[in-house]
Amino acid sequence: MKIINLDHISSKPLIPEVKQAMIDAINNDYANPSSQHKKGEQAADALAKARESVAGLLHAKTPKEIVFTSGGTESVNHAIKGVAWANAEKGKHIITTNIEHNSVIRSCKRLKSQGFTITSVSVDDKGRVDPADIAKAITDDTILVSVMHANNETGTLQPIEEIAKITREKKIIFHTDAVDSVGVMPFDVQKMGADLVSFAANTFYGPTGIGGLYIRRGTMIWPLLDGGVQEASKRAGTENLLGIIGMGVAADQARQHMNSRLVHLEKLKSKLITELPNHIDEYIINTPLDYSLPNLVSVSVKYIEGESVMLMLDDEDIAVSTRSACATGSLRASHVLMSIGLDHADAQGTLVICYGVDNTEEDITKFLGALQNIVVTLRDISPLYVKKH
Amino acid sequence: MYSKTVMDHFRNPRNVGVIEDANGVGEVGNPLCGDMMTIYLKITDDVIDDIKFQTFGCGSAIAVSSMLTEIAKGKPISEAKKITNKEVANALEGLPKNKLHCSNLGADALQLAIKDYEARKEGKAPAEIKRKEAHEHNPDEKCYCPYCDIEIQEEAPFCKACQSDLVEDHH
């Protein structure tokens, strides 16, 4: 059964090169990279090679600036809590925005219960934060600014370079959650200027359960996990070498094929945006087309609810994600969609279409055709649609 | 996630639409989680001759509406008044725990439609129906965080363990 996967925001397939590297790694019977015997050294070499590949993807000055983690969530927790704990004597104020991923929001909330104060800067109706608002929020007590690079619900890109200029001048640590952009589009830490960057392997077709935190040399940060001296004492615990090897190969592939992938993704995005009005009417595109991820389009279809659309598309073997409150565990409307001014009913009809290298223009055509029929079916039974027409 | 019966009613909803000459209409909605449901009744000699629905909501909200109409159709209103949300959920072979509160509002819409019918019959304005609180438990029971299951204080604004916001659950 061929399923058209337009839900790359939830998970991306492993590319063949990554699969092969991980199978080879299993057959290699790697030992613990911390062991000093031959098998240990062989593992340490594989670890070092992967770290170089990942450092290369981010243009880090040295591979030492890369710490492997269990994924984006751990990276974000490490960055925010690690900086807060290590710098608490300097100050206890943290600045973030109101469109962050829950890993940021909840890390901040946890710190709030430990005596830190949090300022959450609002975005405009396009979901973009004004760097001037960040500057205004800075106080003598501010130790950390955390702003995401690409939003996982709308694809909106934030002005990271401009914010980094402000934080650098004020000597405040700057973290960006770039989990949905690193490996999808060029990300040069030297140009972006952030001190800490969270990212995850699955974003660029590596395995899940593995990610990384870029820590600029000299950044004051505590580990999240205490124990052994792995990862230069920044992340204790025996390394997930299988995942790390997969991530290294995925990073090499991403760097090597970045341009051709971007061309492909932009083509699909443009097809989706241009042809959508031929299939449905009365919708809102939540993705600002001039500053957004190349692989994601968020669309709110009026008068219908997203989980129903998702289930009906699933019957047609098409996978998408919805931001409807009904489809989340918490049953709450998305804070991101609320922050850009969507009303509850429109937020309910929000689909996130995220595609990748494995998708074709044909996939987009099939999706649009299926969506057209589903929207008609659901609007036929919607009391909201009847009231408006 | 959903039972076979839920998926069957979601894929092939029964009794969809509007009854133009309905003599009882009930509309319920929950703006927070976004489900809305309208029930139309055609009642003759105090028996539900015809029933139709319109729903804006998730898979379970649509299935609930459809199942409700099947249960209620042909029943005298004295019996239809006894239909509960729980009965509808049971007929659907259960609903996911987190959907029981927000999308299981079919019986509420039906009761409202019956009240509307009775009010019209007596020439009165239709009575308001109040939905049950989203978070409820017996007074002698302890209160647990719906997200991490740790015991929490009644009326706690957030869970001290997992930091989940509980204001909306404790309204």
Side-chain angles (χ1 to χ4, degrees):
Chain A
M1 177 179 52
K2 159 105 167 69
I3 297 210
I4 297 176
N5 181 6
L6 300 177
D7 188 17
H8 279 64
I9 198 67
S10 303
S11 78
K12 291 184 179 67
L14 300 181
I15 47 174
E17 293 81 357
V18 170
K19 278 185 193 168
Q20 193 54 54
M22 291 181 76
I23 290 165
D24 292 347
I26 290 171
N27 289 328
N28 235 325
D29 287 324
Y30 279 114
N32 189 324
S34 298
S35 301
Q36 285 179 318
H37 46 64
K38 287 193 192 74
K39 281 197 75 68
E41 283 191 2
Q42 191 194 19
D45 287 348
L47 178 63
K49 185 168 171 262
R51 199 184 306 279
E52 265 176 42
S53 300
V54 173
L57 180 65
L58 283 108
H59 301 271
K61 274 202 179 127
T62 144
K64 286 180 190 159
E65 291 179 315
I66 302 296
V67 171
F68 289 113
T69 68
S70 64
T73 293
E74 183 190 322
S75 300
V76 168
N77 272 265
H78 188 174
I80 294 178
K81 293 174 186 171
V83 166
W85 294 334
N87 297 276
E89 285 180 4
K90 267 197 231 163
K92 290 196 135 188
H93 180 231
I94 296 166
I95 299 169
T96 182
T97 76
N98 63 350
I99 45 109
E100 301 294 317
H101 186 264
N102 267 331
S103 54
V104 172
I105 295 175
R106 292 190 145 200
S107 292
C108 288
K109 213 165 169 182
R110 183 74 65 185
L111 290 168
K112 205 173 158 185
S113 72
Q114 296 173 353
F116 289 84
T117 52
I118 314 292
T119 300
S120 182
V121 174
S122 298
V123 295
D124 63 18
D125 60 358
K126 299 276 181 209
R128 213 152 131 105
V129 66
D130 183 349
D133 291 341
I134 300 284
K136 268 185 250 163
I138 294 174
T139 70
D140 291 343
D141 205 34
T142 308
I143 50 168
L144 172 70
V145 171
S146 184
V147 177
M148 81 193 318
H149 182 221
N151 186 271
N152 54 309
E153 295 191 28
T154 60
T156 310
L157 296 174
Q158 301 298 337
I160 298 305
E161 284 175 59
E162 284 90 328
I163 297 167
K165 277 181 197 137
I166 297 165
T167 54
R168 192 161 284 186
E169 201 192 300
K170 300 265 186 186
K171 295 192 167 53
I172 295 166
I173 298 171
F174 178 35
H175 165 246
T176 185
D177 162 7
V179 168
D180 288 308
S181 59
V182 165
V184 171
M185 54 193 288
F187 193 102
D188 179 339
V189 286
Q190 309 311 335
K191 192 165 150 266
M192 296 304 240
D195 304 302
L196 299 158
V197 180
S198 294
F199 55 96
N202 188 239
T203 307
F204 44 97
Y205 309 99
T208 53
I210 187 80
L213 179 63
Y214 163 84
I215 305 179
R216 190 177 294 279
R217 236 178 90 183
T219 306
M220 190 61 178
I221 183 167
W222 281 4
L224 194 62
L225 301 180
D226 292 305
V229 295
Q230 293 89 350
E231 301 296 291
S233 284
K234 291 191 175 78
R235 204 269 187 184
T238 301
E239 299 84 351
N240 168 8
L241 195 56
L242 284 183
I244 290 170
I245 288 170
M247 183 175 192
V249 172
D252 284 339
Q253 290 291 317
R255 206 155 80 145
Q256 205 177 324
H257 301 294
M258 182 69 76
N259 289 338
S260 59
R261 283 184 186 177
L262 282 174
V263 169
H264 179 67
L265 295 173
E266 290 293 356
K267 196 166 68 186
L268 297 185
K269 186 174 185 175
S270 151
K271 181 179 168 71
L272 185 54
I273 299 278
T274 342
E275 294 184 12
L276 192 56
N278 303 339
H279 296 270
I280 61 170
D281 59 359
E282 298 195 78
Y283 60 85
I284 303 162
I285 298 278
N286 302 307
T287 305
L289 299 181
D290 38 354
Y291 38 86
S292 53
L293 282 173
N295 62 337
L296 187 150
V297 173
S298 163
V299 54
S300 299
V301 186
K302 283 177 173 280
Y303 317 120
I304 59 176
E305 189 276 330
E307 190 203 85
S308 296
V309 182
M310 184 267 286
L311 290 171
M312 286 187 172
L313 282 168
D314 191 38
D315 280 348
E316 308 280 330
D317 293 333
I318 299 170
V320 299
S321 188
T322 169
R323 296 317 303 169
S324 159
C326 303
T328 65
S330 68
L331 300 179
R332 308 260 161 79
S334 146
H335 64 282
V336 175
L337 299 176
M338 293 294 108
S339 74
I340 59 170
L342 246 60
D343 69 29
H344 277 273
D346 289 342
Q348 285 293 79
T350 305
L351 302 176
V352 176
I353 302 133
C354 186
Y355 36 85
V357 291
D358 49 313
N359 291 116
T360 61
E361 290 188 65
E362 177 69 18
D363 290 348
I364 302 294
T365 305
K366 280 188 181 157
F367 161 72
L368 288 169
L371 181 69
Q372 177 172 352
N373 295 335
I374 290 166
V375 169
V376 170
T377 306
L378 288 173
R379 279 183 177 167
D380 263 354
I381 68 170
S382 167
L384 297 179
Y385 188 67
V386 173
K387 270 183 193 165
K388 294 274 176 185
H389 295 85
Chain B
M1 174 185 166
Y2 288 130
S3 72
K4 273 187 181 167
T5 316
V6 170
M7 285 310 289
D8 173 43
H9 278 263
F10 167 69
R11 289 190 179 114
N12 309 293
R14 283 65 146 173
N15 305 307
V16 172
V18 179
I19 301 175
E20 293 300 340
D21 59 342
N23 52 8
V25 179
E27 195 180 283
V28 290
N30 181 339
L32 254 182
C33 93
D35 286 340
M36 292 185 69
M37 192 180 294
T38 311
I39 293 286
Y40 299 88
L41 297 176
K42 179 75 191 166
I43 298 175
T44 317
D45 299 331
D46 284 350
V47 171
I48 298 175
D49 247 3
D50 199 8
I51 177 167
K52 286 199 188 305
F53 80 90
Q54 283 189 312
T55 291
F56 165 81
C58 63
S60 61
I62 291 171
V64 160
S65 318
S66 167
M67 178 57 86
L68 171 90
T69 60
E70 283 216 319
I71 296 174
K73 201 167 185 173
K75 279 208 163 69
I77 57 170
S78 57
E79 269 181 52
K81 276 181 179 175
K82 292 177 198 156
I83 298 172
T84 61
N85 289 327
K86 201 177 166 189
E87 187 184 341
V88 178
N90 288 345
L92 285 167
E93 293 173 59
L95 287 172
K97 196 178 156 196
N98 63 346
K99 296 274 172 141
L100 279 169
H101 290 316
C102 73
S103 55
N104 192 17
L105 34 76
D108 293 348
L110 173 70
Q111 300 312 332
L112 194 61
I114 294 173
K115 283 197 175 175
D116 179 49
Y117 162 76
E118 288 175 336
R120 286 188 203 199
K121 216 167 121 182
E122 292 168 25
K124 285 187 206 155
E128 281 291 320
I129 191 169
K130 194 180 176 293
R131 265 182 64 71
K132 284 179 187 152
E133 292 297 310
H135 176 90
E136 53 182 17
H137 49 82
N138 297 328
D140 52 336
E141 270 177 1
K142 284 177 177 165
C143 188
Y144 296 93
C145 171
Y147 302 100
C148 74
D149 270 344
I150 206 159
E151 192 185 332
I152 48 171
Q153 293 296 310
E154 183 72 23
E155 305 300 326
F158 66 92
C159 172
K160 280 190 178 164
C162 74
Q163 309 280 305
S164 290
D165 201 346
L166 301 175
V167 174
E168 283 170 15
D169 296 285
H170 268 138
H171 57 115

